[in-house]
Amino acid sequence: MDAGGDGATGATNRKAPSAAAAGSNPKGKGKGKGKGKATSNSKASATAKESSLLKQKSPAEFFAENKNIAGFDNPGKSLYTTMRELVENALDSAESISVIPDIEITLEEITKNKFNTMIGLVDRDRIDEELYDDFESIKAREKRLAKEARFQETQAKNAALGKKVKEAPAARGKGRGEAAFFRVTCKDNGRGMPHDDIPNMLGRVLSGTKYGLRQTRGKFGLGAKMALIWSKMSTGLPIEIKSSMKEQNFISFCRLDIDIHKNVPHIHLHEKRENKDHWHGAEIQVIIEGNWTTHRSKILHYMRQMAVITPYAQFLFKFLSDSVDKNLTIQFARRTDVMPPIPLQTKHHPSAVDLLLIKRLITETTKQNLLQFLQHEFVNISKSHAERLIGEMGPDFSAKMTVKSLTSQQLVRIHQLFRQAKFDDPSGNCLSPAGEYNLRLGIIKELHPDLVATHASSPQVFEGHPFIVEAGISIGGKDVKHGLNIFRYANRIPLLFEQGADVITRTALKRINWSSYKINQQQDKIGVFVSIVSTKIPFKGTGKEYIGDDITEISSAVQSALKQCCLQLKSKIVKKLQARERQDRKRNLNRYIPDVARAIMDTLGEIADETPPKRPRYDKEDEELLEKVNSQEVTEMTFRDCLTQHVEQVWKTFSEKS
């Protein structure tokens, strides 16, 4: 059967080419069909080949397609994130040269017509109305008008009956509405940028000066580059940069956009201009699509929170619009000249490294042997400790062996030992917290509370990374709602989104018994401020907007810091309550003084009117007092004054003792 099968197959295979060559169909039937089949097969194979080709995306292209990762979910969030990124870059720039930050932020609304004029696009009137998403048919319009009429009729009846009248609901169109555009400008007095580095600093994704193990404000290293990508996606317009470094006699001007697919800057103009005012700093201007209406409160809340954590900075925020009534100017004044220290770059802690990082450190190190490598590339490994570690690694290791000669198996052994061995915790010297002084000043400056307490924890460690928790709690204040008002910070930047799952929120809501500290969680205006600084903030989620509640070390530190603030407040509240009680008692006594003085005067008057007895019943002082009452030298007002002075004296003595 096998031989027969093979023979049949072979015969069939031999016939097929000869028939095709001879053109066995004289009428041409099936000729086109055969060609079509061959063509479809070739197309399918070409498609399969194309789909199997290896493709690569540039970092810029990746973030353009996944812009929500960097906080550019929608036009409103994109406007907020752009403004925030520029402000944080400006603060970093000023602080890096120990200059007190002076930052101006301007959001200028640009209407669609104005935007079209800017890019040279001529507006066209609609021809086919039904083509548009916001088209309303005659039937739909009649239905809407009838509904509005019924609403007005109901409201008129309610008004006549004295019932509460509701506002008319805002008209909601079916369409997505007109696109809104904004010119976002941020100007600072910081370091500025070197002339030749500007294109790469702003036009190449994943390039910058903040890489390394240190406390940084940035969460992705994107900053203005992501704003440029969003600008290219939403308006197609380039970004403009003015920059000048200290003692530089020119201003660098650069207009550029980014080649998304190649991740390289596309320079439109790059020149040097005269610097008459000897200005130093940077001014970045970008035009993007945005939504001020939906994110107005978030933007203003962010600016207020930033003013709390950086009271040494001055912010001038402006919103400009063609509608004058929408214009807004807010100045967040500087309250102090005391700035936190500049965060220092540090070395990796052995317990916090992985195998890939060890390989990279070996590639980059300038040290020759293993002993020097362990001493100088990691914190808290002394020479004696390094020698003990090498001895524990086994006979294949020696202190003098070349570090770049280590095999993959030897690197795994080092990594395993790092995970098991005991090391001293890293210190917090590399961290730059705001400081209790600045935190307290910021809270007082922006909230004007009745009471405030602050506390800073000692440096603690999570997975080899040091962190410090600073906390503040205020009672009362301006523009503060009743209940808990939670302000969260990570590396001195406000966190406004995804608050519910954050460790700070959950600790404040679930782990603090406010009533035990004489604080009413529902009725009091409570401000809760927690700032966490670290060389690595353990954010959760792609948006990096909250810190998880599953890290025991951080959760315990936050709870402890808040409790310390509560204890301070309890002491102040108790003293305040005691003072209020004393005032109430004093007020009550003073209220009875007129009645007591009148009663004393009446009694003495009756005694003075009595016929003098045969023998004296009173001593000399009493006789003198009765005579003064008779002569009206002592009156009711005299007793009132004496009693008032006595109460004051008693209260003064009591207050001094307490």
Side-chain angles (χ1 to χ4, degrees):
M1 288 179 65
D2 292 342
D6 289 342
T9 305
T12 305
N13 289 341
R14 282 193 298 271
K15 280 184 181 180
S18 61
S24 59
N25 188 349
K27 294 183 180 180
K29 289 182 181 180
K31 188 176 181 181
K33 186 176 180 182
K35 272 192 173 182
K37 188 175 181 181
T39 305
S40 63
N41 287 339
S42 62
K43 284 182 178 179
S45 62
T47 304
K49 185 178 180 181
E50 185 180 349
S51 64
S52 65
L53 290 175
L54 183 65
K55 297 180 180 179
Q56 186 175 0
K57 289 183 179 179
S58 74
E61 193 174 4
F62 171 80
F63 281 106
E65 293 178 0
N66 300 277
K67 58 186 182 296
N68 59 301
I69 293 177
F72 287 75
D73 306 57
N74 52 62
K77 183 82 177 290
S78 299
L79 179 64
Y80 161 80
T81 305
T82 297
M83 185 274 304
R84 194 202 71 187
E85 291 284 3
L86 296 182
V87 167
E88 288 163 14
N89 283 351
L91 283 170
D92 285 337
S93 178
E95 291 174 2
S96 67
I97 56 173
S98 300
V99 170
I100 298 173
D102 197 344
I103 299 170
E104 297 179 17
I105 311 103
T106 304
L107 304 185
E108 181 185 352
E109 187 177 33
I110 301 173
T111 61
K112 181 184 175 183
N113 292 338
K114 192 174 179 181
F115 174 76
N116 288 347
T117 303
M118 286 173 56
I119 63 174
L121 182 64
V122 179
D123 286 335
R124 281 179 57 85
D125 294 331
R126 294 184 179 184
I127 298 173
D128 187 353
E129 290 287 348
E130 294 185 18
L131 184 66
Y132 294 89
D133 194 35
D134 59 356
F135 171 73
E136 187 179 36
S137 65
I138 296 174
K139 186 175 181 181
R141 183 172 180 274
E142 290 175 350
K143 186 177 179 181
R144 176 175 59 80
L145 293 175
K147 185 178 179 180
E148 290 176 0
R150 288 195 300 271
F151 178 82
Q152 294 294 341
E153 185 179 349
T154 303
Q155 293 301 92
K157 289 180 180 178
N158 289 340
L161 295 172
K163 295 182 180 179
K164 187 177 180 180
V165 178
K166 298 179 181 179
E167 291 184 8
R172 281 190 175 181
K174 181 186 172 185
R176 292 179 293 273
E178 292 284 346
F181 304 97
F182 297 86
R183 180 185 283 111
V184 184
T185 307
C186 183
K187 183 178 181 180
D188 65 63
N189 61 336
R191 180 191 294 274
M193 293 172 275
H195 180 81
D196 294 333
D197 293 344
I198 292 175
N200 282 330
M201 290 181 77
L202 292 166
R204 190 187 297 271
V205 174
L206 300 184
S207 65
T209 59
K210 295 183 182 178
Y211 297 115
L213 190 63
R214 70 171 70 192
Q215 173 192 325
T216 59
R217 282 194 174 94
K219 294 184 290 186
F220 286 100
L222 291 173
K225 286 164 277 196
M226 194 62 218
L228 174 56
I229 291 175
W230 174 244
S231 172
K232 190 173 180 68
M233 294 175 71
S234 61
T235 67
L237 293 175
I239 193 171
E240 291 188 355
I241 307 102
K242 293 178 184 176
S243 174
S244 182
M245 303 185 75
K246 264 192 170 182
E247 299 178 2
Q248 190 169 279
N249 60 2
F250 65 89
I251 293 175
S252 302
F253 178 82
C254 189
R255 184 184 297 119
L256 61 87
D257 62 24
I258 186 171
D259 186 323
I260 299 291
H261 304 292
K262 295 181 180 179
N263 189 32
V264 294
H266 175 217
I267 301 171
H268 296 246
L269 180 63
H270 193 190
E271 64 183 12
K272 296 179 180 179
R273 298 177 177 179
E274 192 176 359
N275 188 5
K276 295 180 180 179
D277 299 329
H278 305 288
W279 167 73
H280 65 85
E283 181 179 329
I284 298 179
Q285 184 179 107
V286 59
I287 298 176
I288 60 171
E289 184 181 352
N291 191 325
W292 168 252
T293 305
T294 58
H295 279 68
R296 178 183 187 275
S297 61
K298 288 290 185 185
I299 290 172
L300 297 180
H301 193 43
Y302 169 86
M303 291 304 305
R304 190 186 192 194
Q305 286 206 35
M306 187 58 85
V308 168
I309 204 69
T310 54
Y312 52 88
Q314 179 166 288
F315 299 98
L316 179 62
F317 177 85
K318 293 180 181 178
F319 178 80
L320 305 177
S321 172
D322 290 342
S323 303
V324 181
D325 57 328
K326 290 173 65 176
N327 287 352
L328 181 67
T329 300
I330 303 176
Q331 182 166 7
F332 299 91
R334 179 181 296 115
R335 180 66 185 268
T336 178
D337 293 338
V338 178
M339 294 174 60
I342 299 172
L344 302 175
Q345 187 161 339
T346 186
K347 297 174 184 176
H348 294 274
H349 193 269
S351 64
V353 299
D354 54 37
L355 193 57
L356 191 63
L357 181 56
I358 294 174
K359 291 180 179 179
R360 181 169 69 81
L361 291 175
I362 288 175
T363 304
E364 297 174 353
T365 188
T366 58
K367 304 304 175 184
Q368 298 298 317
N369 59 52
L370 181 57
L371 180 66
Q372 293 174 338
F373 173 72
L374 294 178
Q375 276 183 261
H376 294 93
E377 296 297 337
F378 302 96
V379 294
N380 294 349
I381 297 184
S382 62
K383 184 178 179 180
S384 60
H385 195 182
E387 289 172 344
R388 291 175 62 193
L389 289 170
I390 294 170
E392 190 67 22
M393 290 175 190
D396 296 336
F397 294 85
S398 68
K400 298 296 182 182
M401 70 185 299
T402 306
V403 69
K404 296 189 186 295
S405 68
L406 291 168
T407 65
S408 297
Q409 291 81 3
Q410 288 175 321
L411 293 180
V412 171
R413 175 62 185 140
I414 294 173
H415 181 227
Q416 290 176 346
L417 183 59
F418 277 179
R419 296 187 67 173
Q420 296 169 358
K422 183 173 66 175
F423 300 93
D424 291 337
D425 289 336
S427 70
N429 296 338
C430 59
L431 300 179
S432 175
E436 279 193 73
Y437 175 77
N438 278 336
L439 182 58
R440 179 184 292 270
L441 275 183
I443 295 171
I444 293 171
K445 176 172 74 79
E446 294 302 320
L447 272 69
H448 305 284
D450 302 322
L451 295 173
V452 63
T454 55
H455 175 77
S457 73
S458 57
Q460 300 181 56
V461 179
F462 164 67
E463 292 185 352
H465 292 277
F467 71 91
I468 292 175
V469 174
E470 296 176 296
I473 299 179
S474 64
I475 304 294
K478 183 181 70 172
D479 300 329
V480 183
K481 297 178 182 177
H482 291 278
L484 295 179
N485 298 266
I486 298 173
F487 299 78
R488 302 173 295 131
Y489 300 92
N491 281 347
R492 307 209 316 261
I493 64 170
L495 303 177
L496 269 63
F497 294 90
E498 301 184 59
Q499 178 170 311
D502 191 271
V503 61
I504 298 168
T505 303
R506 292 194 172 184
T507 300
L509 290 174
K510 298 180 179 180
R511 302 187 184 104
I512 303 296
N513 184 3
W514 297 96
S515 60
S516 65
Y517 300 102
K518 309 294 184 183
I519 300 172
N520 190 316
Q521 186 175 343
Q522 278 71 41
Q523 295 182 5
D524 289 335
K525 296 179 178 180
I526 309 166
V528 178
F529 303 81
V530 178
S531 172
I532 301 173
V533 295
S534 178
T535 51
K536 182 181 179 182
I537 297 291
F539 288 113
K540 297 288 184 180
T542 56
K544 295 194 174 185
E545 287 289 350
Y546 73 99
I547 301 168
D549 193 30
D550 56 341
I551 303 168
T552 305
E553 295 89 341
I554 293 179
S555 175
S556 299
V558 170
Q559 184 178 1
S560 175
L562 288 177
K563 283 186 174 180
Q564 289 297 321
C565 293
C566 287
L567 287 172
Q568 294 178 41
L569 285 177
K570 182 179 180 181
S571 175
K572 294 178 181 179
I573 291 170
V574 168
K575 287 182 179 179
K576 201 171 182 180
L577 289 173
Q578 289 174 345
R580 188 180 300 166
E581 289 175 2
R582 288 198 299 270
Q583 288 296 327
D584 289 342
R585 290 166 63 188
K586 178 182 174 183
R587 193 179 299 110
N588 289 335
L589 284 175
N590 284 331
R591 189 168 57 188
Y592 292 119
I593 284 176
D595 295 335
V596 173
R598 190 179 305 110
I600 293 173
M601 190 64 191
D602 291 344
T603 303
L604 290 176
E606 291 176 2
I607 295 172
D609 290 340
E610 289 179 0
T611 305
K614 293 182 180 178
R615 59 181 186 180
R617 293 182 298 168
Y618 309 105
D619 57 25
K620 187 177 180 181
E621 290 182 357
D622 293 338
E623 290 289 349
E624 290 177 356
L625 176 60
L626 292 173
E627 289 177 5
K628 289 180 179 179
V629 169
N630 270 331
S631 63
Q632 294 187 349
E633 188 177 343
V634 172
T635 62
E636 182 181 328
M637 289 303 299
T638 306
F639 289 111
R640 285 194 186 187
D641 293 340
C642 290
L643 288 171
T644 302
Q645 290 176 10
H646 180 70
V647 169
E648 290 290 343
Q649 185 62 40
V650 169
W651 240 252
K652 183 179 179 181
T653 305
F654 182 76
S655 299
E656 288 174 353
K657 288 181 179 180
S658 60

